[in-house]
Amino acid sequence: MHPTVVREDDAVVMIDQRKLPAAEVYVRCRTATEVAKAIKTMVIRGAPAIGVAAAFGIALGMRKSTATGTQKFAADFYRTCEMMAATRPTAVNLFWAIERMKRTFAEAANAGASVAQIQDRLDREAMAIHDEDIASCRAMGAWGASVVPAEARILTHCNAGALATAGYGTALGVVRGAVEAGKRVTVFADETRPFLQGARLTAWELVRDGIDTTVITDNMAGSLMRQGGVNFVVVGADRIAANGDTANKIGTYGVAVLAREHNIPFYVAAPLSTIDLATPDGSKIPIEERNAKEVTHVAGTQLAATGAHVWNPAFDVTPHQFISGIITERGIFRAPYTESLRAAFDVEAVARS
Ligand code: MRU
């Protein structure tokens, strides 16, 4: 499979996720503005993938900057960062990646680096963000496999797979990790209205990997659980607040409530870059509202009655009480999340020092 997003000398190349699974089309973004547009219009989507694309886009934009002096170069850089930050509001990985690029820029500039040297540093940092994301997903997969039942009937929502990351996936990384650990796994993919990431993307990825996959419409999950068809739920996340409240694709909250009612473990898989300790709880997470046409139309055909109002929040928040554990590259964290998530970062700090 072609990687989700690739940096080439003069472009950032990504598979067009709006066109999958009908067509495998690759989009070549030749400027930072084109990368920002690709994120906004969901050519590329999924929290970690958005962060990686933004970092690549910033590095590309600065590589192409015509500035010769560091002052103009700095002005270009901060303008490019602002443009990336304005693409999508919920996934914190975007802001995390931009902050890393800003830190890299400041360190190089403060050390007196030339424009060419700063460009090299930005390229290296963006590539590090990409490579670390794949490593994190693989680590999540290994940790997550330990809590997946030996005979697993896994329900997932949206696409938290290779397409939503630099590769391997978070929730689907756990699925892949379980398969690699020799567990017998079948997956139920919620179709995930309105953008259909589950039916289009999750099913596409898993079928290509030879993993048994059944697509259900979102309103079938409760009935399936009631009949004993699911014994494990794992989803990704766009932002996890300090208390464990988790924003993920709209519909995740409903799945969590159903899982609780049917005593099914409900896990969130996400890298530490998705955890936002500066946001105390889910009520403070900004929720993106998208175009009404995503709800009224499917594949360009209008289904909803003309004149009806539309509400189209792209994400919802699952309160931490519904979450059995948060699977990260550093291990599985459990309630009370305010303490366990903070400790996860302390360990990080210790490891770096
Ligand atoms: O609107 P999207 O497709 O970007 O939303 C994606 C999700 O909600 C994913 O579940 C989340 O980003 C985790 S991706 C590893």
Side-chain angles (χ1 to χ4, degrees):
M1 184 163 135
H2 192 282
T4 308
V5 56
V6 176
R7 173 71 199 277
E8 294 183 356
D9 272 353
D10 68 335
V12 177
V13 183
M14 50 187 85
I15 189 164
D16 190 340
Q17 301 196 25
R18 301 165 308 177
K19 301 224 160 67
L20 286 171
E24 253 180 72
V25 176
Y26 293 90
V27 173
R28 285 185 84 76
C29 300
R30 293 178 191 280
T31 63
T33 306
E34 286 178 14
V35 174
K37 189 168 170 223
I39 295 171
K40 210 177 174 84
T41 58
M42 297 194 29
V43 171
I44 189 163
R45 31 65 51 200
I50 292 171
V52 172
F56 276 161
I58 291 167
L60 174 73
M62 299 325 295
R63 179 61 66 190
K64 296 206 166 177
S65 167
T66 52
T68 45
T70 44
Q71 226 170 346
K72 162 92 169 50
F73 190 68
D76 276 2
F77 173 78
Y78 286 106
R79 212 174 19 249
T80 305
C81 290
E82 256 172 55
M83 176 177 67
M84 290 298 169
T87 52
R88 296 193 70 191
T90 304
V92 78
N93 307 62
L94 172 68
F95 306 99
W96 170 88
I98 293 169
E99 276 314 308
R100 266 184 73 160
M101 297 301 277
K102 281 186 180 169
R103 231 174 13 245
T104 301
F105 185 97
E107 278 167 17
N110 291 342
S114 66
V115 165
Q117 286 167 331
I118 299 174
Q119 286 170 325
D120 289 345
R121 291 281 303 275
L122 293 173
D123 277 343
R124 284 205 299 275
E125 188 67 9
M127 193 50 78
I129 289 172
H130 171 276
D131 294 348
E132 287 167 25
D133 186 54
I134 299 179
S136 293
C137 287
R138 288 205 167 264
M140 261 176 265
W143 284 109
S146 67
V147 288
V148 171
E151 304 268 334
R153 301 181 299 280
I154 304 177
L155 183 107
T156 189
H157 190 75
C158 194
N159 172 267
L163 289 166
T165 58
Y168 201 73
T170 57
L172 297 192
V174 171
V175 168
R176 292 186 166 103
V179 170
E180 284 168 23
K183 307 209 171 179
R184 278 165 55 99
V185 173
T186 186
V187 175
F188 291 93
D190 273 355
E191 73 168 350
T192 319
R193 275 281 287 153
F195 204 69
L196 304 173
Q197 290 95 330
R200 297 189 304 104
L201 308 177
T202 294
W204 183 75
E205 271 194 32
L206 292 179
V207 168
R208 282 169 67 116
D209 271 12
I211 297 172
D212 188 63
T213 304
T214 302
V215 175
I216 59 170
T217 63
D218 300 344
N219 51 1
M220 293 170 187
S223 192
L224 182 68
M225 288 182 185
R226 190 152 188 236
Q227 291 173 33
V230 177
N231 61 4
F232 190 82
V233 177
V234 62
V235 297
D238 285 83
R239 191 184 297 225
I240 301 172
N243 72 343
D245 291 353
T246 294
N248 191 49
K249 181 51 54 190
I250 189 76
T252 303
Y253 170 55
V255 173
V257 172
L258 285 168
R260 166 59 56 89
E261 175 64 19
H262 295 93
N263 289 315
I264 300 166
F266 177 96
Y267 281 88
V268 170
L272 291 183
S273 54
T274 306
I275 298 171
D276 178 12
L277 294 183
T279 297
D281 61 61
S283 70
K284 307 287 186 308
I285 298 176
I287 300 292
E288 176 183 13
E289 287 204 29
R290 293 188 61 86
N291 197 302
K293 217 172 161 193
E294 287 181 0
V295 172
T296 55
H297 290 61
V298 172
T301 303
Q302 184 174 337
L303 299 181
T306 302
H309 300 295
V310 169
W311 183 49
N312 186 18
F315 303 97
D316 59 24
V317 174
T318 298
H320 60 89
Q321 301 89 316
F322 290 90
I323 299 171
S324 311
I326 297 176
I327 302 164
T328 74
E329 67 272 39
R330 254 182 201 284
I332 303 178
F333 296 96
R334 300 192 188 267
Y337 291 107
T338 306
E339 279 122 68
S340 64
L341 295 182
R342 188 166 296 281
F345 284 92
D346 290 346
V347 175
E348 271 257 288
V350 170
R352 268 203 304 268
S353 64

